[in-house]
Amino acid sequence: MLVDDHEVVRQGLRSMINASGDLTVCAEASTTAEAIHAARAHVPHVVVMDLRLPDGSGVEACREIRTENEDVKVLILTSFTDDQALFDAIMAGASGYLLKQVRGTDLIDGIRRIASGESLLDPSVTSQVLERIRDPHAGEDPRLARLTPTERRILDHIADGETNRQIGEHLGLAEKTIKNYVSVILTKLDVNRRTEAAAYLFTNSNRGSH
């Protein structure tokens, strides 16, 4: 199954995959919601997923799809060499992460490998992520280390300038719940405002170098 909000990209991928001889595109989607619904309806062996989607991220779609059916493998195909995104994708259950600069033959080979149960990571972004998996708090500011995974995700969304309502929509939580989380985050970081929390994140984590 192909998930990308650009129709031209999906057309190119579909033609290449269908021409491989042993692979067939069974469904397509352009949003997170469509991806989750299509995966439920078609149960593909492999989902080739873009990271940036209009209504959310490929990471969120991957997590939901894998929660419903762990037999479905997800290959993230993106143009972003963001080790945070790669880390999040792995934590969400993705089996592979390739950059869109990959050659067509390598992509087809990657799909086959993931379908057979292998894992596949682009070497250009693997080393940083493996280091974070070994020691997720290496070099991290002690205040940031206090945050739970959910609080850290919410802080990332705050840093992206999102409102409580937008964050709630992305994480599937009520706006009031997000507001409570934000209060806890501000307390843990010892700051008073959202803008200060965002500035603290950029100043005291690896995020600013991504």
Side-chain angles (χ1 to χ4, degrees), residues 127-141:
S127 59
Q128 306 99 307
V129 172
L130 291 180
E131 180 62 33
R132 289 193 58 188
I133 292 174
R134 284 192 291 267
D135 186 2
H137 299 302
E140 185 173 53
D141 180 86

Side-chain angles (χ1 to χ4, degrees), residues 158-191:
I158 291 174
D160 288 335
E162 296 183 11
T163 65
N164 289 347
R165 176 175 294 180
Q166 290 171 325
I167 297 171
E169 290 173 351
H170 281 143
L171 300 184
L173 297 172
E175 184 177 356
K176 183 177 180 181
T177 301
I178 298 298
K179 183 178 179 181
N180 293 336
Y181 269 116
V182 172
S183 297
V184 173
I185 291 168
L186 296 182
T187 299
K188 287 185 176 182
L189 296 182
D190 194 23
V191 296

Side-chain angles (χ1 to χ4, degrees), residues 83-157:
D83 59 304
Q84 175 65 47
L86 174 49
F87 181 81
D88 290 343
I90 293 172
M91 294 298 101
S95 298
Y97 191 108
L98 289 176
L99 300 179
K100 285 185 176 177
Q101 297 92 312
V102 67
R103 292 184 304 175
T105 53
D106 291 336
L107 174 60
I108 295 298
D109 179 62
I111 294 173
R112 292 184 181 122
R113 289 171 60 184
I114 284 177
S116 68
E118 294 184 41
S119 296
L120 185 66
L121 298 178
D122 193 288
S124 66
V125 285
T126 301
S127 59
Q128 306 99 307
V129 172
L130 291 180
E131 180 62 33
R132 289 193 58 188
I133 292 174
R134 284 192 291 267
D135 186 2
H137 299 302
E140 185 173 53
D141 180 86
R143 293 188 198 173
L144 291 174
R146 299 174 190 169
L147 303 182
T148 66
T150 298
E151 290 165 354
R152 183 55 187 266
R153 285 199 298 273
I154 290 173
L155 179 57
D156 284 336
H157 285 290

